[in-house]
């Protein structure tokens, strides 16, 4: 059986041997290959389908990896990975010990920069280009492919602003598909919407105002046009900008029609795009949906509630609030810094502001969190979705640092619910009484444990933990939903009567009254968290013990001092030794020593 064109390509060097007239056939094969793998293995779909032709053209025209190609955002890069020697093992994408779902420097010399978070490519490629000039490599090409709404981020503008006053050999390719994970928003999007293939708006071209040579727009699915313009741009020195118009999900009708759902659709039938049935009847709701639906319920009675998200209305389920109260819910685009300070500004005017943001993305607004919120002691409520290990998105997206990086900030209160009912009640508590300080509520990706989550509201006592189970010898102090693993671990121990379990609820401030009682009554204490051990909740408990000169042995369980890669959450918990079996073994080992 004759090989397909794609099967003959193990590197871009092979790609460049193919006659230009055969490239459309290669594009069709590459697109189908991506569809078939993602249909069964899952992952990001629409973004990579939309840049198939662009990916081929870039590797065909430029001499990668000598010429440096940076993808922003990283989930556009499936086609890039397949064409750069990873076709044979692409079916391991996002699986434990398999390929990363994002570009990763340690994985391939063609992955010149790791790009899990958005809007970093311009700065990275500019840094490479300036470094090349310093080394006298003035002919070297540096290309940043900016897509999925990441051009609107503040960091992207910072890179553009600097690049425009350099002589760097930098090409920025704007993959303009009018959508990120959700539809793009903002004034820049409105300008880009006016641009059509062959038509560049004459006024307000901010790219040219920043000293870039502007080319396009061109059809991102027309290989002939792409090869022609990229060939010309190779000869143009200095910073240049190519505007390419594409369709996210190109080549799979359902992905084109529902670009939000098919960003990362789960399993589907490759030929039709039909999603495979996923039985959810009787299953607990996702934490994000408990947040989103509860917020709407509260907003119906409290007109002072405002909600903000940086580009994640679907992922955070703030979409429900945006549908019910569009005048009180704001998607500000990929602009975490702006989102945090916007929330602070609203809070100064007496509103109860809920800022819904992934744990991993709040890292990008750390200064704003400290300077604009905590320093001024403004009562913004940060709802941190995807806290803890998030699974297949891997090291760039795990929300494991928040406890450590938040705990050191004065005025901040940090709460982690054990289950959906606790989440719901804390949302209620936050708006039902006048907050005196900023509040963080962190909760995980995925489903909870209680199908009957919609229970009557009850206020949660601030700074108070609770005893879930009495015991005589060992105390386990857990924070957040990882406490469910403790509950299950203790259930399998015959001497369970010797083990007490406390849900501490607050990482800051700690319930010191409860802690004094625990340290006086137990000979061994374990702490458990789904965040990094260094500087986290366990560290806080040990600091308390040292301050009060307790001699009780404390063992901290959590994420070790290393980056955890991608895989199923259960697999990653095993690696970190915070899964049910690992917790049980630790408890049994100590019981055996009593």
């Amino acid at each position: 059986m004759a090989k397909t064109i794609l099967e003959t390509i193990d590197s871009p060097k092979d790609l460049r041997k193919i006659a230009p007239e055969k490239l459309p056939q290669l594009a069709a094969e590459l697109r189908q290959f991506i569809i078939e793998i993602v249909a069964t293995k899952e992952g990001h779909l629409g973004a990579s389908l939309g840049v198939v032709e662009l990916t081929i053209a870039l590797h065909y025209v430029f001499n990668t990896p000598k010429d440096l190609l940076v993808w922003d955002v990283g989930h556009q890069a499936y086609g890039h990975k397949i064409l750069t020697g990873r076709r044979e093992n692409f079916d391991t994408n996002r699986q434990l010990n398999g390929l990363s779902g994002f570009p990763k420097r340690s994985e391939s010399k063609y992955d010149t920069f790791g790009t899990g978070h958005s809007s970093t490519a311009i700065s990275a490629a500019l840094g490479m280009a300036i470094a090349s000039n310093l080394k006298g490599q003035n002919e070297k090409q540096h290309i940043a492919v900016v897509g999925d709404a990441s051009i609107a981020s503040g960091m992207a503008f910072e890179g553009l602003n600097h690049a425009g006053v350099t002589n760097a050999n930098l090409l920025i390719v704007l993959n303009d598909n009018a959508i990120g994970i959700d539809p793009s928003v903002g004034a820049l999007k409105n300008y880009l919407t006016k641009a059509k293939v062959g038509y560049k708006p004459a006024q307000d071209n901010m790219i040219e105002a920043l000293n870039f040579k502007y080319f396009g727009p061109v059809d991102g699915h027309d290989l002939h046009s792409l090869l022609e313009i990229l060939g010309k741009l190779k000869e143009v020195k200095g910073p240049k900008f190519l505007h390419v118009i594409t369709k996210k999900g190109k080549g799979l009708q359902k992905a084109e029609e529902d670009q939000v759902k098919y960003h990362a659709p789960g399993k589907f039938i490759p030929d039709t795009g039909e999603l495979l049935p996923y039985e959810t009847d009787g299953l607990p709701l996702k934490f994000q949906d408990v947040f989103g639906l509860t917020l709407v319920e509260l907003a119906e009675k409290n007109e002072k509630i405002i909600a903000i998200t940086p580009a994640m209305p679907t992922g955070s389920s703030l979409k429900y609030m945006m549908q019910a109260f569009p005048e009180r819910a704001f998607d500000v685009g990929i602009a975490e810094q702006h989102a945090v300070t916007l929330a602070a500004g609203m809070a100064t005017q007496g509103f109860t502001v809920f800022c819904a943001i992934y744990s991993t993305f709040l890292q990008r607004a750390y200064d704003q969190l400290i300077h604009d919120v905590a320093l001024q002691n403004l009562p913004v409520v940060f709802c941190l979705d995807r806290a803890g290990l998030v699974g297949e998105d891997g090291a760039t997206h795990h929300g494991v640092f928040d406890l450590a990086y938040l705990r050191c900030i004065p005025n901040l209160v940090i709460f982690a619910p054990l289950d959906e009912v606790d989440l719901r009640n804390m949302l209620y508590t936050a708006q039902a009484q006048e907050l005196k300080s900023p509040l963080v509520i962190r909760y995980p990706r995925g489903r909870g444990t209680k199908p009957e989550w919609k229970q009557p509201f009850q206020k949660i006592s601030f700074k108070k933990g609770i005893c879930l189970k009495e015991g005589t010898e060992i105390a386990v102090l857990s924070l957040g939903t990882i406490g469910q693993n403790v509950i299950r671990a203790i259930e399998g121990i015959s001497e369970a009567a010797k083990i007490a379990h406390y849900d501490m609820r607050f990482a800051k401030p700690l319930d010191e009254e409860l802690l004094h009682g625990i340290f006086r009554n137990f000979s061994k204490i374990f702490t458990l968290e789904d965040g990094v051990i260094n500087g986290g909740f366990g560290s806080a408990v040990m600091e308390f013990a040292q301050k009060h000169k307790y001699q009780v042995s404390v063992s901290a369980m959590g994420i070790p001092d290393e980056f955890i890669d991608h895989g199923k959450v259960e697999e990653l918990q095993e690696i970190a030794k915070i899964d049910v079996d690992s917790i049980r073994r630790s408890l049994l080992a100590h019981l055996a020593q009593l």
Side-chain angles (χ1 to χ4, degrees):
M1 184 175 179
K3 285 186 175 182
T4 63
I5 299 175
L6 182 59
E7 288 175 320
T8 69
I9 298 173
D10 293 315
S11 73
K13 187 178 293 186
D14 297 327
L15 169 65
R16 296 177 198 120
K17 297 174 183 176
I18 297 171
E21 60 270 19
K22 292 186 177 181
L23 293 180
Q25 176 60 34
L26 172 61
E29 293 174 5
L30 179 56
R31 185 169 274 117
Q32 188 59 35
F33 186 85
I34 294 171
I35 290 171
E36 289 177 357
I37 294 292
V38 177
T40 57
K41 301 296 184 178
E42 302 188 32
H44 296 101
L45 179 67
S48 284
L49 292 184
V51 295
V52 163
E53 289 83 4
L54 179 59
T55 303
I56 292 171
L58 287 168
H59 281 294
Y60 196 83
V61 172
F62 293 101
N63 185 25
T64 56
K66 181 179 178 181
D67 291 333
L68 301 175
L69 175 60
V70 184
W71 292 91
D72 184 350
V73 288
H75 56 237
Q76 298 181 100
Y78 285 10
H80 158 81
K81 291 199 170 200
I82 293 163
L83 294 176
T84 54
R86 288 166 278 184
R87 183 188 72 255
E88 291 292 339
N89 60 343
F90 188 71
D91 60 349
T92 69
N93 188 46
R94 292 163 50 91
Q95 297 177 35
L96 187 66
N97 301 320
L99 295 178
S100 169
F102 303 97
K104 188 174 182 180
R105 280 171 52 83
S106 61
E107 186 177 290
S108 170
K109 62 184 179 182
Y110 292 93
D111 292 359
T112 61
F113 202 78
T115 50
H117 289 183
S118 83
S119 313
T120 59
I122 296 174
S123 297
L126 176 59
M128 295 170 182
I130 293 173
S132 293
N133 284 351
L134 292 172
K135 292 191 290 185
Q137 298 172 346
N138 299 318
E139 300 303 313
K140 194 168 188 174
Q141 305 287 334
H142 312 83
I143 309 102
V145 184
V146 181
D148 277 29
S150 56
I151 191 67
S153 168
M155 187 174 179
F157 280 105
E158 292 170 20
L160 287 168
N161 184 55
H162 182 195
V165 294
T166 72
N167 62 349
N169 198 10
L170 173 69
L171 169 62
I172 297 172
V173 179
L174 173 61
N175 166 30
D176 178 11
N177 57 16
I179 188 166
I181 296 174
D182 290 278
S184 305
V185 296
L188 179 60
K189 180 255 186 180
N190 291 341
Y191 165 76
L192 294 174
T193 300
K194 299 173 186 176
K196 307 296 181 187
V197 173
Y199 169 69
K200 177 181 71 176
Q203 296 178 331
D204 303 324
N205 190 321
M206 62 174 295
I207 304 301
E208 290 183 338
L210 289 170
N211 227 20
F212 276 77
K213 302 179 184 73
Y214 183 102
F215 299 85
V218 297
D219 182 351
H221 303 298
D222 182 342
L223 268 164
H224 176 75
S225 296
L226 287 172
L227 294 176
E228 183 178 27
I229 189 66
L230 290 173
K232 291 178 180 178
L233 287 171
K234 277 184 72 172
E235 309 305 319
V236 177
K237 300 298 183 183
K240 43 204 177 282
F241 190 101
L242 175 61
H243 188 171
V244 177
I245 295 178
T246 64
K247 180 180 284 291
K248 190 168 184 176
K250 175 72 173 178
L252 185 65
Q253 184 174 350
K254 288 193 173 294
E256 294 182 22
E257 294 171 349
D258 193 341
Q259 295 173 330
V260 174
K261 183 177 292 184
Y262 282 81
H263 172 76
K267 294 181 179 179
F268 60 93
I269 300 172
D271 293 341
T272 65
E274 289 285 345
L275 299 179
L276 293 178
Y278 178 60
E279 186 56 56
T280 59
D281 290 347
L283 291 179
L285 212 59
K286 292 180 179 179
F287 275 90
Q288 67 187 62
D289 289 330
V290 172
F291 159 75
L293 294 170
T294 299
L295 197 62
V296 171
E297 189 178 348
L298 296 171
E300 288 171 349
K301 297 180 180 180
N302 186 343
E303 294 182 352
K304 288 193 172 183
I305 288 178
I306 291 178
I308 298 170
T309 185
M312 302 304 296
T314 298
S316 68
S317 290
L318 200 64
K319 61 183 180 181
Y320 300 122
M321 181 78 176
M322 296 179 75
Q323 292 163 0
F325 302 102
E327 73 285 358
R328 289 195 276 150
F330 302 90
D331 175 6
V332 301
I334 304 174
E336 293 86 0
Q337 294 172 307
H338 169 59
V340 171
T341 304
L342 178 70
M346 290 177 170
T348 66
Q349 301 305 303
F351 285 92
T352 302
V353 188
F354 290 83
C355 186
I357 184 168
Y358 289 8
S359 169
T360 186
F361 295 146
L362 184 60
Q363 295 164 187
R364 293 157 64 91
Y366 194 56
D367 180 64
Q368 288 69 28
L369 180 63
I370 294 173
H371 186 272
D372 298 337
V373 177
L375 180 62
Q376 303 184 89
N377 207 21
L378 294 171
V380 177
V381 183
F382 293 96
C383 298
L384 264 58
D385 199 343
R386 271 63 166 181
L389 295 165
V390 299
E392 289 83 355
D393 279 345
T396 59
H397 282 60
H398 293 319
V400 297
F401 301 106
D402 51 38
L403 291 171
Y405 74 67
L406 293 173
R407 195 173 67 80
C408 60
I409 302 175
N411 293 334
L412 212 57
V413 175
I414 307 169
F415 175 81
L418 178 67
D419 55 34
E420 311 93 299
V421 176
D422 277 358
L423 170 59
R424 175 174 165 82
N425 285 336
M426 182 48 87
L427 293 169
Y428 168 73
T429 303
Q431 59 83 51
Q433 63 190 57
E434 185 177 347
L435 288 178
K436 303 298 183 183
S437 301
L439 170 66
V440 171
I441 308 172
R442 70 184 299 272
Y443 46 93
R445 180 182 187 180
R447 298 184 183 276
T449 58
K450 293 189 174 181
E452 301 300 324
W453 61 273
K454 197 171 184 180
Q455 300 179 15
F457 288 117
Q458 294 182 353
K459 282 189 178 180
I460 286 179
S461 298
F462 275 91
K463 310 177 187 178
K464 291 296 182 183
I466 56 175
C467 179
L468 298 177
K469 180 188 175 300
E470 299 285 355
T472 59
E473 301 289 341
I474 301 172
V476 182
L477 283 54
S478 64
L479 183 77
T481 57
I482 196 67
Q484 300 292 344
N485 283 10
V486 179
I487 294 171
R488 291 164 56 199
I490 294 175
E491 287 173 351
I493 295 176
S494 60
E495 295 182 279
K498 294 181 178 180
I499 304 171
H501 181 199
Y502 294 85
D503 173 22
M504 294 306 293
R505 288 188 161 186
F506 291 89
K508 183 176 183 177
L510 293 171
D511 184 344
E512 294 200 353
E513 181 181 358
L514 181 59
L515 282 176
H516 279 299
I518 293 170
F519 273 89
R520 288 175 186 140
N521 290 296
F522 293 93
S523 61
K524 175 68 177 180
I525 293 172
F526 288 92
T527 67
L528 179 68
E529 59 200 298
D530 56 358
V532 292
I533 293 173
N534 290 350
F537 163 67
S539 292
V541 173
M542 292 179 188
E543 290 163 14
F544 168 86
Q546 183 182 40
K547 176 181 177 182
H548 296 283
K549 297 181 171 54
Y550 286 110
Q551 300 300 312
V552 179
S553 173
V554 181
S555 294
M557 294 183 285
I559 309 302
D561 188 23
E562 61 189 61
F563 288 106
I564 304 291
D565 278 332
H566 49 278
K568 291 181 171 56
V569 171
E570 296 78 10
E571 295 171 331
L572 303 183
Q573 286 186 352
E574 287 182 24
I575 292 171
K577 293 182 171 50
I578 57 173
D579 61 299
V580 173
D581 288 340
S582 295
I583 296 168
R584 184 180 294 128
R585 284 193 295 270
S586 294
L587 295 174
L588 286 171
H590 188 77
L591 286 170
Q593 297 171 9
L594 293 177

